Amino acid sequence: MPLLWEALQQVLTQAPLRHMVTPGGQRMSVPLTNCGALGWTSDRGGYRYRGDDPLSGRAWPAMPAAFAQLAREAAAAAGFAGYAPDACLINCYRPGARLTLHQDRNERDFSQPIVSVSLGIAATFLWGGAERGDRAARVPLFHGDVAVWGGVDRLRFHGIAPVREAHHPLTGGTRINFTFRRAG
Ligand code: MD3
Ligand code: FE
């Protein structure tokens, strides 16, 4: 884990965490950044992937080798051989931050899975269904959890319940989540 943590610090110096605004004008409670060829962004114009960081005008930091290897091995273990993510969205949760139920559908090819990695304090993952109104299961996510979301589950609604205050030796009072995507 220190390897991932050190690589993350490198990314954050080049592309700091920032709060984006939803198309509806709401400030997201979870600051984010990206690494890889493409980065997920949100503003009044909508959600989209782009090759440059709107904060700096430069390309997003390259995806660290340790990130890419973890994503590839996790996908392969779940039956998705040859996974080559071109985007890694990095979310940072402080107590009270949350992610409302949504689908990830800005990517081009839904046959490609999303791989998520959780670091730091725990959170409750909301595991919904195919429709927004479907009842969501509550699944705790802990430091070091890696999950692969593909196949028939790729477009399920999901979110994160408001995070409770806690402390973790690596991350302090925060939860970091990486989601690897094949976006382009
Ligand atoms: C299930 N992130 O960034 S990771 C997101 O913990 C996002 O930061 C959450 O949802 C987080 O879009 C959840 C788990 C996850 C990610 C993508 C999925 C679950 C998924 C895509 C489809 C189904
Ligand atoms: Fe998502």
Side-chain angles (χ1 to χ4, degrees):
M1 210 61 76
L3 199 62
L4 286 182
W5 186 250
E6 302 219 336
L8 172 64
Q9 302 315 311
Q10 287 292 326
V11 168
L12 294 180
T13 56
Q14 299 167 71
L17 294 162
R18 81 295 300 268
H19 290 272
M20 292 196 178
V21 172
T22 66
Q26 302 259 55
R27 177 187 199 256
M28 296 178 70
S29 65
V30 179
L32 64 85
T33 188
N34 294 274
C35 61
L38 294 171
W40 184 90
T41 63
S42 178
D43 61 23
R44 292 304 299 233
Y47 305 126
R48 68 186 173 106
Y49 286 94
R50 46 191 289 171
D52 61 319
D53 177 348
L55 209 57
S56 67
R58 289 178 282 127
W60 298 104
M63 195 176 307
F67 281 33
Q69 183 180 346
L70 174 59
R72 179 168 15 90
E73 291 178 359
F80 297 93
Y83 185 58
D86 55 11
C88 175
L89 168 57
I90 300 164
N91 290 324
C92 180
Y93 296 78
R94 294 186 174 283
R98 63 197 289 250
L99 204 56
T100 55
L101 280 183
H102 67 278
Q103 293 172 297
D104 290 14
R105 48 186 324 147
N106 299 116
E107 301 76 26
R108 200 153 273 158
D109 179 1
F110 299 141
S111 76
Q112 295 296 307
I114 291 180
V115 175
S116 75
V117 178
S118 296
L119 297 181
I121 69 174
T124 299
F125 179 65
L126 303 173
W127 186 215
E131 317 275 346
R132 184 178 295 277
D134 291 349
R135 191 184 166 78
R138 298 171 69 89
V139 182
L141 288 178
F142 298 105
H143 179 72
D145 283 350
V146 178
V148 180
W149 315 91
V152 296
D153 295 317
R154 175 62 180 77
L155 289 175
R156 278 173 73 163
F157 281 85
H158 60 279
I160 295 287
V163 170
R164 305 260 294 263
E165 197 160 324
H167 181 266
H168 187 277
L170 183 65
T171 64
T174 64
R175 170 176 186 265
I176 306 281
N177 182 266
F178 305 143
T179 49
F180 294 94
R181 295 114 188 286
R182 180 80 208 178

